Amino acid sequence: MNGEEEKKESLLLKAEHITKLYKTKNEEKRRGIEDISFEIRKGQTYGIIGQSGAGKSTLAKVIAGIEKKTAGSLFFYGKEIQLIFQNPFSAVNPRMCLEQIIEEPWIIRRKGNKKERARKVEEMLQKVRLEPKLKKRYPWEVSGGQLQRAIIARSLMLEPDLIVADEITASLDVTIQAEIMEVLLELKKEYDVSCMLISHDLYFISKMCDRVMVLDQGRCIEEGEVKEIWDHPKDDRTKQLLKAMKE
Protein backbone atom coordinates (compact mmCIF):
# COMPACT_ATOMS: atom_id res chain seq x y z
CA MET A 1 0.00 0.00 0.00
CA ASN A 2 1.48 3.34 -1.08
CA GLY A 3 1.16 6.69 0.69
CA GLU A 4 -1.98 7.77 -1.17
CA GLU A 5 -3.70 4.44 -0.51
CA GLU A 6 -2.83 4.61 3.19
CA LYS A 7 -4.17 8.15 3.36
CA LYS A 8 -7.44 7.09 1.73
CA GLU A 9 -7.72 4.03 3.99
CA SER A 10 -7.40 6.17 7.15
CA LEU A 11 -9.99 8.75 6.07
CA LEU A 12 -13.03 8.85 8.38
CA LEU A 13 -14.84 12.05 7.46
CA LYS A 14 -14.53 14.44 4.54
CA ALA A 15 -16.36 17.76 4.31
CA GLU A 16 -16.31 19.66 1.02
CA HIS A 17 -17.56 23.24 0.76
CA ILE A 18 -20.18 22.83 3.49
CA THR A 19 -22.59 25.73 3.79
CA LYS A 20 -25.50 26.21 6.20
CA LEU A 21 -27.87 29.16 5.76
CA TYR A 22 -30.72 30.09 8.09
CA LYS A 23 -33.87 31.95 7.15
CA THR A 24 -34.80 34.98 9.25
CA LYS A 25 -38.35 36.14 10.01
CA ASN A 26 -38.19 38.31 6.90
CA GLU A 27 -37.28 35.26 4.82
CA GLU A 28 -33.77 36.59 4.34
CA LYS A 29 -30.95 34.10 4.42
CA ARG A 30 -28.41 34.40 7.24
CA ARG A 31 -25.08 32.61 7.01
CA GLY A 32 -24.27 30.04 9.69
CA ILE A 33 -21.21 28.56 8.00
CA GLU A 34 -19.96 28.90 4.44
CA ASP A 35 -17.62 26.91 2.19
CA ILE A 36 -16.10 24.78 4.97
CA SER A 37 -13.78 21.96 3.86
CA PHE A 38 -11.68 19.62 6.04
CA GLU A 39 -10.86 15.96 6.74
CA ILE A 40 -10.74 13.85 9.90
CA ARG A 41 -8.76 10.63 9.94
CA LYS A 42 -9.18 7.52 12.06
CA GLY A 43 -7.81 8.03 15.56
CA GLN A 44 -7.34 11.77 14.99
CA THR A 45 -8.51 14.57 17.28
CA TYR A 46 -9.53 17.60 15.26
CA GLY A 47 -10.10 20.98 16.90
CA ILE A 48 -12.40 23.83 15.94
CA ILE A 49 -11.79 27.24 17.53
CA GLY A 50 -13.30 30.66 17.08
CA GLN A 51 -15.02 33.46 18.91
CA SER A 52 -18.66 33.31 19.96
CA GLY A 53 -20.86 33.37 16.87
CA ALA A 54 -18.13 32.10 14.57
CA GLY A 55 -20.24 29.10 13.52
CA LYS A 56 -18.64 26.39 15.67
CA SER A 57 -21.89 24.90 17.03
CA THR A 58 -23.57 25.11 13.63
CA LEU A 59 -20.74 23.08 12.13
CA ALA A 60 -21.00 20.52 14.95
CA LYS A 61 -24.73 20.03 14.36
CA VAL A 62 -24.27 19.64 10.60
CA ILE A 63 -21.49 17.07 11.04
CA ALA A 64 -23.56 15.12 13.59
CA GLY A 65 -26.59 15.17 11.30
CA ILE A 66 -28.80 17.22 13.63
CA GLU A 67 -29.09 19.99 11.05
CA LYS A 68 -29.08 19.65 7.26
CA LYS A 69 -26.47 21.45 5.22
CA THR A 70 -27.63 23.96 2.62
CA ALA A 71 -24.85 23.10 0.17
CA GLY A 72 -21.68 21.06 -0.12
CA SER A 73 -20.81 17.39 0.30
CA LEU A 74 -20.24 15.40 3.46
CA PHE A 75 -18.75 11.88 3.42
CA PHE A 76 -18.59 9.72 6.55
CA TYR A 77 -16.85 6.36 6.26
CA GLY A 78 -17.71 5.06 9.74
CA LYS A 79 -20.94 3.75 11.25
CA GLU A 80 -21.67 5.96 14.24
CA ILE A 81 -21.30 9.64 15.22
CA GLN A 82 -22.17 10.88 18.71
CA LEU A 83 -22.60 14.54 19.69
CA ILE A 84 -21.91 15.85 23.21
CA PHE A 85 -23.43 19.26 23.95
CA GLN A 86 -21.99 22.12 25.97
CA ASN A 87 -24.65 22.20 28.71
CA PRO A 88 -25.01 18.71 30.21
CA PHE A 89 -28.22 19.60 32.07
CA SER A 90 -30.05 20.57 28.89
CA ALA A 91 -28.86 17.42 27.11
CA VAL A 92 -30.65 14.89 29.35
CA ASN A 93 -34.13 14.06 30.57
CA PRO A 94 -34.24 15.32 34.18
CA ARG A 95 -36.62 12.48 35.07
CA MET A 96 -33.97 9.89 34.26
CA CYS A 97 -31.26 8.82 36.70
CA LEU A 98 -27.66 8.44 35.52
CA GLU A 99 -28.10 4.71 34.96
CA GLN A 100 -31.05 5.33 32.64
CA ILE A 101 -29.22 8.14 30.85
CA ILE A 102 -26.19 5.95 30.15
CA GLU A 103 -28.14 2.86 29.04
CA GLU A 104 -30.56 4.84 26.84
CA PRO A 105 -28.65 4.24 23.53
CA TRP A 106 -28.86 0.47 24.07
CA ILE A 107 -32.58 0.65 24.84
CA ILE A 108 -33.25 2.73 21.72
CA ARG A 109 -31.26 0.27 19.58
CA ARG A 110 -32.75 -2.70 21.48
CA LYS A 111 -29.36 -4.00 22.52
CA GLY A 112 -28.88 -6.44 25.39
CA ASN A 113 -31.22 -7.52 28.15
CA LYS A 114 -31.67 -5.79 31.51
CA LYS A 115 -28.77 -7.68 33.11
CA GLU A 116 -26.41 -6.99 30.20
CA ARG A 117 -27.31 -3.30 30.19
CA ALA A 118 -26.72 -3.04 33.94
CA ARG A 119 -23.30 -4.68 33.57
CA LYS A 120 -22.38 -2.32 30.71
CA VAL A 121 -23.47 0.73 32.72
CA GLU A 122 -21.25 -0.38 35.63
CA GLU A 123 -18.34 -0.76 33.23
CA MET A 124 -18.86 2.67 31.71
CA LEU A 125 -19.21 4.36 35.11
CA GLN A 126 -15.81 2.98 36.03
CA LYS A 127 -14.25 4.16 32.77
CA VAL A 128 -15.40 7.76 33.29
CA ARG A 129 -14.37 7.71 36.98
CA LEU A 130 -17.84 7.82 38.52
CA GLU A 131 -18.68 5.89 41.68
CA PRO A 132 -21.27 3.13 41.14
CA LYS A 133 -23.49 4.59 43.87
CA LEU A 134 -24.12 7.63 41.66
CA LYS A 135 -26.03 5.62 39.06
CA LYS A 136 -29.36 6.02 40.89
CA ARG A 137 -29.00 9.79 41.25
CA TYR A 138 -30.76 12.30 39.04
CA PRO A 139 -29.11 15.16 37.12
CA TRP A 140 -29.91 17.76 39.78
CA GLU A 141 -28.32 15.53 42.43
CA VAL A 142 -24.85 15.51 40.85
CA SER A 143 -22.36 18.17 39.78
CA GLY A 144 -21.97 19.46 36.23
CA GLY A 145 -18.69 17.61 35.90
CA GLN A 146 -20.21 14.32 37.07
CA LEU A 147 -23.14 14.69 34.68
CA GLN A 148 -20.83 15.53 31.78
CA ARG A 149 -18.84 12.35 32.47
CA ALA A 150 -22.08 10.35 32.49
CA ILE A 151 -22.92 11.86 29.10
CA ILE A 152 -19.47 10.90 27.81
CA ALA A 153 -20.19 7.36 29.03
CA ARG A 154 -23.53 7.42 27.18
CA SER A 155 -21.83 8.61 23.99
CA LEU A 156 -19.49 5.60 24.07
CA MET A 157 -22.21 2.97 24.62
CA LEU A 158 -22.55 2.42 20.86
CA GLU A 159 -18.77 2.52 20.31
CA PRO A 160 -18.88 5.44 17.83
CA ASP A 161 -16.21 6.06 15.23
CA LEU A 162 -16.44 9.82 15.83
CA ILE A 163 -17.38 11.93 18.84
CA VAL A 164 -18.27 15.58 18.21
CA ALA A 165 -17.86 17.48 21.49
CA ASP A 166 -19.20 21.05 21.54
CA GLU A 167 -17.61 23.19 24.29
CA ILE A 168 -17.97 20.35 26.81
CA THR A 169 -15.71 21.97 29.42
CA ALA A 170 -16.96 25.56 29.03
CA SER A 171 -19.28 25.54 32.07
CA LEU A 172 -16.85 23.70 34.37
CA ASP A 173 -14.17 25.01 36.71
CA VAL A 174 -10.49 24.53 35.90
CA THR A 175 -9.99 21.46 38.09
CA ILE A 176 -12.99 19.65 36.60
CA GLN A 177 -11.92 20.66 33.10
CA ALA A 178 -8.59 18.90 33.69
CA GLU A 179 -10.39 15.76 34.89
CA ILE A 180 -12.63 15.70 31.83
CA MET A 181 -9.56 16.15 29.62
CA GLU A 182 -7.84 13.17 31.26
CA VAL A 183 -10.95 11.00 30.90
CA LEU A 184 -11.27 11.87 27.22
CA LEU A 185 -7.63 11.12 26.52
CA GLU A 186 -7.89 7.72 28.23
CA LEU A 187 -11.11 6.76 26.45
CA LYS A 188 -9.89 8.00 23.08
CA LYS A 189 -6.88 5.72 23.37
CA GLU A 190 -8.84 2.72 24.66
CA TYR A 191 -11.65 2.92 22.09
CA ASP A 192 -9.51 4.26 19.23
CA VAL A 193 -12.24 6.84 18.60
CA SER A 194 -11.75 9.99 16.54
CA CYS A 195 -12.85 13.28 18.06
CA MET A 196 -13.92 16.65 16.77
CA LEU A 197 -13.50 19.06 19.67
CA ILE A 198 -15.07 22.51 19.54
CA SER A 199 -13.83 25.03 22.05
CA HIS A 200 -12.75 28.61 22.70
CA ASP A 201 -10.24 27.22 25.24
CA LEU A 202 -6.75 27.46 23.75
CA TYR A 203 -5.18 25.19 26.37
CA PHE A 204 -7.81 22.47 25.92
CA ILE A 205 -7.39 22.40 22.14
CA SER A 206 -3.58 22.54 22.27
CA LYS A 207 -3.42 19.55 24.63
CA MET A 208 -6.06 17.42 22.94
CA CYS A 209 -5.85 17.99 19.20
CA ASP A 210 -3.63 17.03 16.26
CA ARG A 211 -5.03 19.56 13.79
CA VAL A 212 -7.16 22.67 14.20
CA MET A 213 -9.44 24.88 12.12
CA VAL A 214 -9.97 28.55 12.96
CA LEU A 215 -13.45 29.90 12.20
CA ASP A 216 -14.43 33.53 11.87
CA GLN A 217 -17.92 34.69 10.90
CA GLY A 218 -18.80 31.28 9.53
CA ARG A 219 -15.72 30.85 7.39
CA CYS A 220 -12.47 28.90 7.76
CA ILE A 221 -9.65 31.42 7.93
CA GLU A 222 -6.84 28.99 8.76
CA GLU A 223 -6.33 25.22 9.12
CA GLY A 224 -3.37 23.00 9.91
CA GLU A 225 -1.37 21.22 12.59
CA VAL A 226 -1.94 22.66 16.05
CA LYS A 227 1.71 23.55 16.73
CA GLU A 228 2.05 25.29 13.36
CA ILE A 229 -1.08 27.39 13.88
CA TRP A 230 -0.08 28.27 17.44
CA ASP A 231 3.53 29.17 16.64
CA HIS A 232 3.14 30.63 13.14
CA PRO A 233 -0.41 31.89 12.51
CA LYS A 234 -0.72 33.38 9.04
CA ASP A 235 -4.02 35.26 9.16
CA ASP A 236 -4.23 38.48 11.17
CA ARG A 237 -7.59 37.38 12.59
CA THR A 238 -6.01 34.17 13.86
CA LYS A 239 -3.25 36.19 15.50
CA GLN A 240 -5.83 38.41 17.20
CA LEU A 241 -7.89 35.42 18.32
CA LEU A 242 -4.91 33.57 19.77
CA LYS A 243 -3.74 36.73 21.53
CA ALA A 244 -7.18 37.20 23.08
CA MET A 245 -7.29 33.56 24.17
CA LYS A 246 -3.87 33.78 25.83
CA GLU A 247 -4.74 36.91 27.80
Side-chain angles (χ1 to χ4, degrees):
M1 185 180 293
N2 60 36
E4 284 300 315
E5 289 174 334
E6 287 180 358
K7 187 176 179 181
K8 185 176 180 180
E9 182 71 20
S10 69
L11 187 61
L12 180 64
L13 181 140
K14 185 173 184 177
E16 295 182 332
H17 310 293
I18 298 296
T19 294
K20 173 64 180 177
L21 301 176
Y22 295 96
K23 286 186 178 180
T24 65
K25 292 181 180 179
N26 298 324
E27 292 298 309
E28 296 176 350
K29 290 184 177 181
R30 177 177 61 83
R31 181 179 69 211
I33 52 174
E34 185 174 0
D35 197 26
I36 302 293
S37 299
F38 65 100
E39 296 178 352
I40 297 178
R41 305 200 168 276
K42 295 174 183 177
Q44 188 178 49
T45 303
Y46 193 95
I48 308 289
I49 63 170
Q51 295 179 328
S52 178
K56 303 187 300 295
S57 293
T58 298
L59 179 59
K61 291 173 183 177
V62 170
I63 296 301
I66 292 177
E67 292 193 3
K68 293 184 178 180
K69 56 185 170 49
T70 305
S73 301
L74 186 61
F75 305 95
F76 180 60
Y77 302 102
K79 296 180 180 179
E80 189 77 36
I81 299 177
Q82 289 289 312
L83 174 61
I84 305 176
F85 292 97
Q86 176 179 345
N87 186 344
F89 294 99
S90 65
V92 297
N93 184 338
R95 299 176 182 176
M96 298 171 69
C97 66
L98 297 195
E99 180 178 36
Q100 293 170 315
I101 289 170
I102 295 171
E103 72 174 354
E104 186 179 24
W106 273 31
I107 291 176
I108 292 172
R109 298 288 180 90
R110 298 181 180 180
K111 286 190 64 175
N113 54 38
K114 187 175 181 179
K115 186 176 180 180
E116 290 169 335
R117 292 197 302 270
R119 185 167 59 246
K120 185 64 175 179
V121 168
E122 293 278 350
E123 176 189 331
M124 296 312 299
L125 284 169
Q126 183 179 13
K127 289 184 183 299
V128 297
R129 303 181 187 177
L130 286 176
E131 297 181 21
K133 66 181 181 181
L134 294 177
K135 68 181 180 181
K136 295 300 182 183
R137 293 189 184 177
Y138 290 86
W140 68 85
E141 296 179 309
V142 297
S143 69
Q146 289 171 326
L147 183 56
Q148 195 64 286
R149 278 184 275 173
I151 292 173
I152 292 172
R154 180 180 68 178
S155 73
L156 287 166
M157 286 290 283
L158 297 176
E159 299 184 2
D161 304 280
L162 176 65
I163 289 178
V164 179
D166 186 6
E167 298 274 17
I168 63 171
T169 62
S171 60
L172 306 175
D173 64 43
V174 176
T175 303
I176 304 302
Q177 286 180 11
E179 291 178 4
I180 295 293
M181 194 184 304
E182 288 179 7
V183 167
L184 275 176
L185 286 170
E186 290 173 1
L187 294 174
K188 180 183 178 302
K189 184 176 180 180
E190 179 174 351
Y191 285 88
D192 193 29
V193 61
S194 299
C195 296
M196 177 176 161
L197 302 184
I198 295 164
S199 181
H200 63 274
D201 188 327
L202 177 67
Y203 180 76
F204 180 70
I205 292 294
S206 66
K207 291 296 181 183
M208 296 290 296
C209 299
D210 307 304
R211 295 184 69 84
V212 64
M213 176 194 296
V214 185
L215 289 184
D216 182 66
Q217 297 182 7
R219 295 176 180 270
C220 170
I221 58 173
E222 201 154 349
E223 194 271 352
E225 293 185 5
V226 170
K227 186 173 180 4
E228 184 64 23
I229 298 292
W230 273 198
D231 294 343
H232 307 289
K234 297 175 182 177
D235 192 283
D236 287 340
R237 290 167 293 178
T238 303
K239 294 175 183 177
Q240 294 171 5
L241 178 62
L242 294 179
K243 182 180 178 181
M245 287 179 171
K246 291 174 182 178
E247 291 178 349

